[in-house]
Amino acid sequence: MNGVKARKQNTSAVNGEVPRKDLNGSANGHVSRDGHAASATRSTENIFLFYPNIIGYSRIILAIASLYYMPLHPRTCSILYSVSCLLDALDGVAARYFQQSTKFGAVLDMVTDRCTTACLLVFLASAFPRWSILFQGLISLDLASHYMHMYATLSMGGSGQSHKKVDEARTGRLLYLYYNNKNVLFAVCALNELFFIALYLLSFSSPTLSPSLLAGDHNTPSSAQPGSPSFVAAALLATPGSAWAMELARANKMDSTFPWFIAAVSSPVMALKQYLNVVQLLEASKWLAEGDIETRRLEGLPKRGR
Protein backbone atom coordinates (compact mmCIF):
# COMPACT_ATOMS: atom_id res chain seq x y z
CA MET A 1 0.00 0.00 0.00
CA ASN A 2 2.84 2.39 0.84
CA GLY A 3 4.40 1.63 -2.52
CA VAL A 4 1.17 2.46 -4.34
CA LYS A 5 0.82 5.74 -2.42
CA ALA A 6 4.40 6.64 -3.22
CA ARG A 7 3.88 5.89 -6.92
CA LYS A 8 0.77 8.14 -6.96
CA GLN A 9 2.72 10.99 -5.40
CA ASN A 10 5.56 10.50 -7.88
CA THR A 11 3.08 10.50 -10.77
CA SER A 12 1.62 13.80 -9.54
CA ALA A 13 5.09 15.29 -9.30
CA VAL A 14 5.97 14.20 -12.82
CA ASN A 15 2.76 15.74 -14.17
CA GLY A 16 3.62 19.03 -12.46
CA GLU A 17 0.84 18.78 -9.90
CA VAL A 18 1.54 19.95 -6.38
CA PRO A 19 -0.64 18.57 -3.59
CA ARG A 20 -2.70 21.40 -2.02
CA LYS A 21 -2.67 21.84 1.71
CA ASP A 22 -5.53 23.15 3.72
CA LEU A 23 -5.17 25.64 6.55
CA ASN A 24 -4.44 22.81 9.00
CA GLY A 25 -1.57 21.45 6.90
CA SER A 26 -3.26 18.36 5.44
CA ALA A 27 -2.57 17.55 1.80
CA ASN A 28 -6.00 16.29 0.84
CA GLY A 29 -6.63 18.97 -1.79
CA HIS A 30 -9.61 20.51 0.03
CA VAL A 31 -10.02 23.81 1.89
CA SER A 32 -10.58 23.31 5.60
CA ARG A 33 -13.90 23.94 7.27
CA ASP A 34 -12.38 26.85 9.18
CA GLY A 35 -11.40 28.43 5.89
CA HIS A 36 -14.96 28.04 4.57
CA ALA A 37 -16.36 29.56 7.75
CA ALA A 38 -14.04 32.57 7.58
CA SER A 39 -14.89 33.09 3.91
CA ALA A 40 -18.60 32.85 4.63
CA THR A 41 -18.29 35.39 7.44
CA ARG A 42 -16.51 37.86 5.17
CA SER A 43 -19.02 37.45 2.37
CA THR A 44 -22.08 37.95 4.59
CA GLU A 45 -20.92 41.21 6.20
CA ASN A 46 -23.22 44.10 5.32
CA ILE A 47 -21.15 47.28 5.41
CA PHE A 48 -24.28 49.43 5.15
CA LEU A 49 -25.57 48.05 8.47
CA PHE A 50 -22.40 48.62 10.48
CA TYR A 51 -23.12 50.53 13.69
CA PRO A 52 -21.10 53.66 12.73
CA ASN A 53 -22.94 53.86 9.41
CA ILE A 54 -26.33 53.52 11.13
CA ILE A 55 -25.30 56.47 13.30
CA GLY A 56 -24.45 58.28 10.07
CA TYR A 57 -27.94 57.64 8.70
CA SER A 58 -29.38 58.99 11.95
CA ARG A 59 -27.36 62.16 11.46
CA ILE A 60 -28.86 62.61 8.01
CA ILE A 61 -32.42 62.13 9.30
CA LEU A 62 -31.85 64.65 12.11
CA ALA A 63 -30.30 67.13 9.68
CA ILE A 64 -33.27 66.86 7.30
CA ALA A 65 -35.66 67.37 10.22
CA SER A 66 -33.73 70.46 11.32
CA LEU A 67 -33.99 71.89 7.80
CA TYR A 68 -37.75 71.36 7.89
CA TYR A 69 -38.05 73.40 11.09
CA MET A 70 -35.39 75.95 10.14
CA PRO A 71 -37.56 78.74 8.68
CA LEU A 72 -39.99 78.94 11.60
CA HIS A 73 -38.90 76.99 14.70
CA PRO A 74 -35.41 78.16 15.72
CA ARG A 75 -35.34 76.30 19.02
CA THR A 76 -36.40 72.94 17.58
CA CYS A 77 -34.11 73.37 14.60
CA SER A 78 -31.11 74.24 16.77
CA ILE A 79 -31.61 71.18 18.98
CA LEU A 80 -31.97 68.77 16.05
CA TYR A 81 -29.01 70.29 14.20
CA SER A 82 -26.81 70.21 17.31
CA VAL A 83 -27.60 66.56 18.05
CA SER A 84 -26.78 65.68 14.43
CA CYS A 85 -23.40 67.38 14.80
CA LEU A 86 -22.64 65.73 18.15
CA LEU A 87 -23.29 62.29 16.67
CA ASP A 88 -20.34 63.01 14.38
CA ALA A 89 -18.05 62.20 17.31
CA LEU A 90 -20.02 59.10 18.33
CA ASP A 91 -19.71 57.32 14.98
CA GLY A 92 -15.93 57.44 15.19
CA VAL A 93 -15.97 55.95 18.69
CA ALA A 94 -18.31 53.19 17.50
CA ALA A 95 -16.11 52.47 14.49
CA ARG A 96 -13.05 51.94 16.69
CA TYR A 97 -14.90 49.98 19.40
CA PHE A 98 -16.62 47.55 17.03
CA GLN A 99 -13.69 47.47 14.58
CA GLN A 100 -15.97 48.73 11.81
CA SER A 101 -13.94 51.51 10.24
CA THR A 102 -14.76 51.58 6.52
CA LYS A 103 -14.08 53.79 3.53
CA PHE A 104 -17.82 54.12 2.95
CA GLY A 105 -18.30 55.32 6.51
CA ALA A 106 -15.50 57.89 6.22
CA VAL A 107 -16.96 59.33 3.01
CA LEU A 108 -20.50 59.27 4.42
CA ASP A 109 -19.29 61.19 7.46
CA MET A 110 -17.49 63.84 5.42
CA VAL A 111 -20.31 64.30 2.90
CA THR A 112 -22.86 64.68 5.72
CA ASP A 113 -20.69 67.33 7.37
CA ARG A 114 -20.30 69.29 4.16
CA CYS A 115 -23.99 69.14 3.22
CA THR A 116 -25.38 70.10 6.64
CA THR A 117 -23.03 73.07 7.00
CA ALA A 118 -23.76 74.20 3.45
CA CYS A 119 -27.53 74.09 4.07
CA LEU A 120 -27.21 76.21 7.21
CA LEU A 121 -25.02 78.73 5.39
CA VAL A 122 -27.57 78.95 2.57
CA PHE A 123 -30.19 79.91 5.13
CA LEU A 124 -27.86 82.50 6.67
CA ALA A 125 -27.22 83.96 3.21
CA SER A 126 -30.96 84.51 2.83
CA ALA A 127 -31.34 85.80 6.40
CA PHE A 128 -28.51 88.33 6.00
CA PRO A 129 -28.61 89.28 2.31
CA ARG A 130 -25.97 92.00 2.70
CA TRP A 131 -23.50 89.32 3.77
CA SER A 132 -24.67 86.64 1.34
CA ILE A 133 -21.45 86.79 -0.70
CA LEU A 134 -19.49 85.97 2.47
CA PHE A 135 -21.61 82.92 3.21
CA GLN A 136 -21.42 81.83 -0.42
CA GLY A 137 -17.65 82.12 -0.23
CA LEU A 138 -17.55 79.99 2.94
CA ILE A 139 -19.62 77.29 1.26
CA SER A 140 -17.31 77.28 -1.77
CA LEU A 141 -14.15 77.22 0.36
CA ASP A 142 -15.42 74.35 2.51
CA LEU A 143 -16.45 72.19 -0.45
CA ALA A 144 -13.39 73.00 -2.57
CA SER A 145 -10.80 72.44 0.16
CA HIS A 146 -12.19 69.09 1.27
CA TYR A 147 -12.73 67.81 -2.27
CA MET A 148 -9.23 68.85 -3.32
CA HIS A 149 -7.73 67.30 -0.18
CA MET A 150 -9.64 64.03 -0.64
CA TYR A 151 -8.73 63.78 -4.33
CA ALA A 152 -5.05 64.54 -3.65
CA THR A 153 -4.93 61.91 -0.90
CA LEU A 154 -6.47 59.22 -3.12
CA SER A 155 -4.46 59.99 -6.26
CA MET A 156 -1.09 60.75 -4.65
CA GLY A 157 -1.16 58.83 -1.38
CA GLY A 158 -2.87 55.68 -2.63
CA SER A 159 -6.43 54.37 -2.48
CA GLY A 160 -5.89 52.86 0.96
CA GLN A 161 -4.78 56.07 2.65
CA SER A 162 -7.20 58.01 4.84
CA HIS A 163 -7.67 61.73 4.19
CA LYS A 164 -7.01 62.28 7.91
CA LYS A 165 -3.47 60.93 7.66
CA VAL A 166 -1.54 64.05 6.74
CA ASP A 167 2.20 64.66 6.59
CA GLU A 168 3.28 67.31 9.09
CA ALA A 169 6.25 68.29 6.95
CA ARG A 170 3.92 68.98 4.03
CA THR A 171 0.86 70.51 5.67
CA GLY A 172 2.33 72.26 8.70
CA ARG A 173 1.79 71.84 12.41
CA LEU A 174 -1.74 73.24 12.67
CA LEU A 175 -3.37 71.07 10.01
CA TYR A 176 -1.47 68.02 11.26
CA LEU A 177 -2.71 68.65 14.81
CA TYR A 178 -6.25 69.22 13.52
CA TYR A 179 -6.43 65.82 11.82
CA ASN A 180 -4.37 63.75 14.25
CA ASN A 181 -5.65 64.94 17.62
CA LYS A 182 -9.24 63.81 18.13
CA ASN A 183 -9.89 66.39 20.87
CA VAL A 184 -8.69 69.26 18.69
CA LEU A 185 -10.70 67.99 15.72
CA PHE A 186 -13.88 67.75 17.79
CA ALA A 187 -13.41 71.15 19.47
CA VAL A 188 -12.73 73.02 16.23
CA CYS A 189 -15.63 71.41 14.35
CA ALA A 190 -18.06 71.85 17.26
CA LEU A 191 -17.24 75.52 17.87
CA ASN A 192 -17.33 76.23 14.14
CA GLU A 193 -20.87 74.85 13.95
CA LEU A 194 -21.86 76.65 17.14
CA PHE A 195 -20.88 79.97 15.60
CA PHE A 196 -23.21 79.46 12.65
CA ILE A 197 -26.00 78.18 14.93
CA ALA A 198 -25.61 81.35 16.99
CA LEU A 199 -25.92 83.48 13.86
CA TYR A 200 -29.03 81.52 12.93
CA LEU A 201 -30.60 82.25 16.32
CA LEU A 202 -29.61 85.92 16.06
CA SER A 203 -31.49 86.19 12.77
CA PHE A 204 -34.65 85.65 14.86
CA SER A 205 -33.69 87.63 17.96
CA SER A 206 -31.25 90.46 17.24
CA PRO A 207 -32.47 93.73 15.66
CA THR A 208 -28.80 94.67 15.29
CA LEU A 209 -28.27 91.95 12.71
CA SER A 210 -31.88 91.76 11.49
CA PRO A 211 -33.28 95.33 11.33
CA SER A 212 -36.52 93.95 9.89
CA LEU A 213 -37.37 92.80 13.42
CA LEU A 214 -37.95 96.46 14.34
CA ALA A 215 -39.93 97.46 11.27
CA GLY A 216 -42.88 96.22 9.34
CA ASP A 217 -46.57 96.17 8.90
CA HIS A 218 -48.46 95.30 12.08
CA ASN A 219 -50.68 93.01 10.06
CA THR A 220 -47.83 90.69 9.17
CA PRO A 221 -45.15 89.06 11.29
CA SER A 222 -42.24 91.43 11.86
CA SER A 223 -39.68 89.11 10.33
CA ALA A 224 -41.74 88.78 7.15
CA GLN A 225 -39.95 91.70 5.52
CA PRO A 226 -37.73 91.77 2.43
CA GLY A 227 -34.40 90.29 3.38
CA SER A 228 -35.87 88.04 6.05
CA PRO A 229 -35.73 84.24 5.56
CA SER A 230 -39.48 84.04 6.09
CA PHE A 231 -40.45 86.79 3.65
CA VAL A 232 -41.81 84.65 0.81
CA ALA A 233 -43.70 82.24 3.05
CA ALA A 234 -45.15 85.09 5.11
CA ALA A 235 -46.33 86.95 2.03
CA LEU A 236 -48.20 83.87 0.85
CA LEU A 237 -49.49 82.34 4.06
CA ALA A 238 -49.55 84.73 6.99
CA THR A 239 -52.78 86.35 8.13
CA PRO A 240 -53.26 88.31 11.37
CA GLY A 241 -53.98 85.94 14.23
CA SER A 242 -53.17 82.77 12.32
CA ALA A 243 -51.29 79.98 14.08
CA TRP A 244 -48.43 80.42 11.61
CA ALA A 245 -48.16 84.16 12.33
CA MET A 246 -48.34 83.63 16.10
CA GLU A 247 -45.60 80.99 15.98
CA LEU A 248 -43.36 83.28 13.96
CA ALA A 249 -43.98 86.16 16.37
CA ARG A 250 -43.12 83.88 19.31
CA ALA A 251 -39.88 82.85 17.61
CA ASN A 252 -38.92 86.51 17.19
CA LYS A 253 -39.28 87.13 20.93
CA MET A 254 -36.18 85.06 21.68
CA ASP A 255 -33.55 86.61 23.90
CA SER A 256 -30.38 87.40 21.96
CA THR A 257 -27.99 87.44 24.94
CA PHE A 258 -27.02 83.77 24.85
CA PRO A 259 -26.60 83.60 21.03
CA TRP A 260 -24.37 86.71 21.17
CA PHE A 261 -22.24 85.06 23.88
CA ILE A 262 -21.90 81.84 21.88
CA ALA A 263 -20.99 83.79 18.74
CA ALA A 264 -18.32 85.80 20.57
CA VAL A 265 -16.73 82.72 22.16
CA SER A 266 -16.74 80.59 19.02
CA SER A 267 -15.80 83.24 16.43
CA PRO A 268 -11.98 82.85 16.85
CA VAL A 269 -12.27 79.09 16.34
CA MET A 270 -14.51 79.62 13.32
CA ALA A 271 -11.84 81.90 11.84
CA LEU A 272 -9.21 79.23 12.57
CA LYS A 273 -11.33 76.62 10.78
CA GLN A 274 -11.53 78.79 7.66
CA TYR A 275 -7.76 79.33 7.80
CA LEU A 276 -7.25 75.56 7.97
CA ASN A 277 -9.54 75.18 4.95
CA VAL A 278 -7.34 77.61 3.00
CA VAL A 279 -4.18 75.77 4.04
CA GLN A 280 -5.73 72.44 3.14
CA LEU A 281 -6.76 73.74 -0.29
CA LEU A 282 -3.33 75.20 -1.07
CA GLU A 283 -1.34 72.19 0.15
CA ALA A 284 -3.55 69.76 -1.77
CA SER A 285 -3.09 71.87 -4.91
CA LYS A 286 0.69 71.83 -4.48
CA TRP A 287 0.66 68.06 -3.95
CA LEU A 288 -1.32 67.49 -7.13
CA ALA A 289 0.97 69.85 -9.05
CA GLU A 290 4.02 67.91 -7.86
CA GLY A 291 2.40 64.71 -9.10
CA ASP A 292 1.72 66.32 -12.48
CA ILE A 293 5.36 67.41 -12.78
CA GLU A 294 6.58 63.89 -12.01
CA THR A 295 4.12 62.35 -14.48
CA ARG A 296 5.24 64.72 -17.23
CA ARG A 297 8.88 63.94 -16.47
CA LEU A 298 8.29 60.19 -16.76
CA GLU A 299 6.43 60.70 -20.07
CA GLY A 300 9.22 62.89 -21.42
CA LEU A 301 7.03 65.99 -21.73
CA PRO A 302 7.29 68.45 -23.26
CA LYS A 303 8.71 66.63 -26.25
CA ARG A 304 11.16 68.75 -28.20
CA GLY A 305 10.74 69.45 -31.88
CA ARG A 306 6.95 69.88 -31.76
Side-chain angles (χ1 to χ4, degrees), residues 114-192:
R114 305 285 71 76
C115 291
T116 52
T117 302
C119 289
L120 179 56
L121 291 176
V122 167
F123 183 92
L124 293 177
S126 66
F128 306 110
R130 292 184 180 181
W131 300 98
S132 61
I133 188 172
L134 176 61
F135 295 114
Q136 291 164 352
L138 291 177
I139 294 172
S140 301
L141 175 62
D142 191 44
L143 294 176
S145 66
H146 283 84
Y147 178 82
M148 190 78 77
H149 177 67
M150 176 70 80
Y151 187 83
T153 302
L154 293 176
S155 61
M156 302 299 296
S159 60
Q161 182 171 337
S162 169
H163 69 282
K164 293 184 178 181
K165 293 182 179 180
V166 298
D167 184 5
E168 183 178 0
R170 173 180 295 278
T171 61
R173 179 64 179 171
L174 278 178
L175 193 60
Y176 176 82
L177 185 64
Y178 171 75
Y179 273 122
N180 287 272
N181 188 308
K182 296 180 179 61
N183 295 327
V184 172
L185 178 64
F186 174 78
V188 172
C189 292
L191 289 173
N192 180 68

Side-chain angles (χ1 to χ4, degrees), residues 69-80 197 200-201 203-204 247-248 250-252 254:
Y69 288 108
M70 189 171 284
L72 188 59
H73 300 268
R75 296 176 181 84
T76 303
C77 171
S78 298
I79 292 173
L80 292 172
I197 293 174
Y200 164 71
L201 292 174
S203 71
F204 288 91
E247 179 62 26
L248 187 58
R250 186 181 71 85
N252 289 336
M254 292 178 56

Side-chain angles (χ1 to χ4, degrees), residues 9-290:
Q9 291 179 346
N10 291 335
T11 302
S12 298
V14 170
N15 294 333
E17 299 178 0
V18 179
R20 293 181 296 172
K21 293 185 177 181
D22 63 12
L23 297 179
N24 295 325
S26 61
N28 57 10
H30 298 284
V31 179
S32 69
R33 293 181 179 179
D34 293 340
H36 279 302
S39 178
T41 301
R42 287 194 297 269
S43 63
T44 56
E45 280 191 323
N46 191 337
I47 299 298
F48 298 108
L49 295 181
F50 276 12
Y51 294 120
N53 297 335
I54 292 176
I55 295 175
Y57 307 146
S58 302
R59 290 188 61 204
I60 295 174
I61 294 173
L62 288 170
I64 294 174
S66 71
L67 297 180
Y68 174 80
Y69 288 108
M70 189 171 284
L72 188 59
H73 300 268
R75 296 176 181 84
T76 303
C77 171
S78 298
I79 292 173
L80 292 172
Y81 189 93
S82 299
V83 173
S84 176
C85 293
L86 290 173
L87 287 178
D88 187 22
L90 183 60
D91 61 1
V93 175
R96 291 185 292 271
Y97 181 81
F98 293 106
Q99 300 179 11
Q100 293 181 342
S101 297
T102 59
K103 295 177 183 177
F104 169 76
V107 174
L108 176 67
D109 183 59
M110 189 183 74
V111 170
T112 303
D113 290 339
R114 305 285 71 76
C115 291
T116 52
T117 302
C119 289
L120 179 56
L121 291 176
V122 167
F123 183 92
L124 293 177
S126 66
F128 306 110
R130 292 184 180 181
W131 300 98
S132 61
I133 188 172
L134 176 61
F135 295 114
Q136 291 164 352
L138 291 177
I139 294 172
S140 301
L141 175 62
D142 191 44
L143 294 176
S145 66
H146 283 84
Y147 178 82
M148 190 78 77
H149 177 67
M150 176 70 80
Y151 187 83
T153 302
L154 293 176
S155 61
M156 302 299 296
S159 60
Q161 182 171 337
S162 169
H163 69 282
K164 293 184 178 181
K165 293 182 179 180
V166 298
D167 184 5
E168 183 178 0
R170 173 180 295 278
T171 61
R173 179 64 179 171
L174 278 178
L175 193 60
Y176 176 82
L177 185 64
Y178 171 75
Y179 273 122
N180 287 272
N181 188 308
K182 296 180 179 61
N183 295 327
V184 172
L185 178 64
F186 174 78
V188 172
C189 292
L191 289 173
N192 180 68
E193 295 294 339
L194 274 177
F195 176 80
F196 295 125
I197 293 174
L199 286 186
Y200 164 71
L201 292 174
L202 288 171
S203 71
F204 288 91
S205 60
S206 174
T208 303
L209 294 181
S210 299
S212 61
L213 295 176
L214 293 176
D217 185 357
H218 294 290
N219 293 329
T220 59
S222 58
S223 66
Q225 305 299 318
S228 168
S230 304
F231 172 66
V232 176
L236 295 175
L237 302 176
T239 57
S242 69
W244 192 93
M246 292 174 65
E247 179 62 26
L248 187 58
R250 186 181 71 85
N252 289 336
K253 291 180 181 178
M254 292 178 56
D255 183 18
S256 62
T257 303
F258 184 68
W260 271 119
F261 175 76
I262 295 297
V265 170
S266 59
S267 58
V269 181
M270 184 278 299
L272 173 63
K273 180 67 167 65
Q274 308 316 314
Y275 171 76
L276 291 175
N277 281 342
V278 173
V279 172
Q280 181 173 254
L281 176 63
L282 295 177
E283 294 303 326
S285 301
K286 292 179 183 177
W287 198 8
L288 288 172
E290 291 172 4

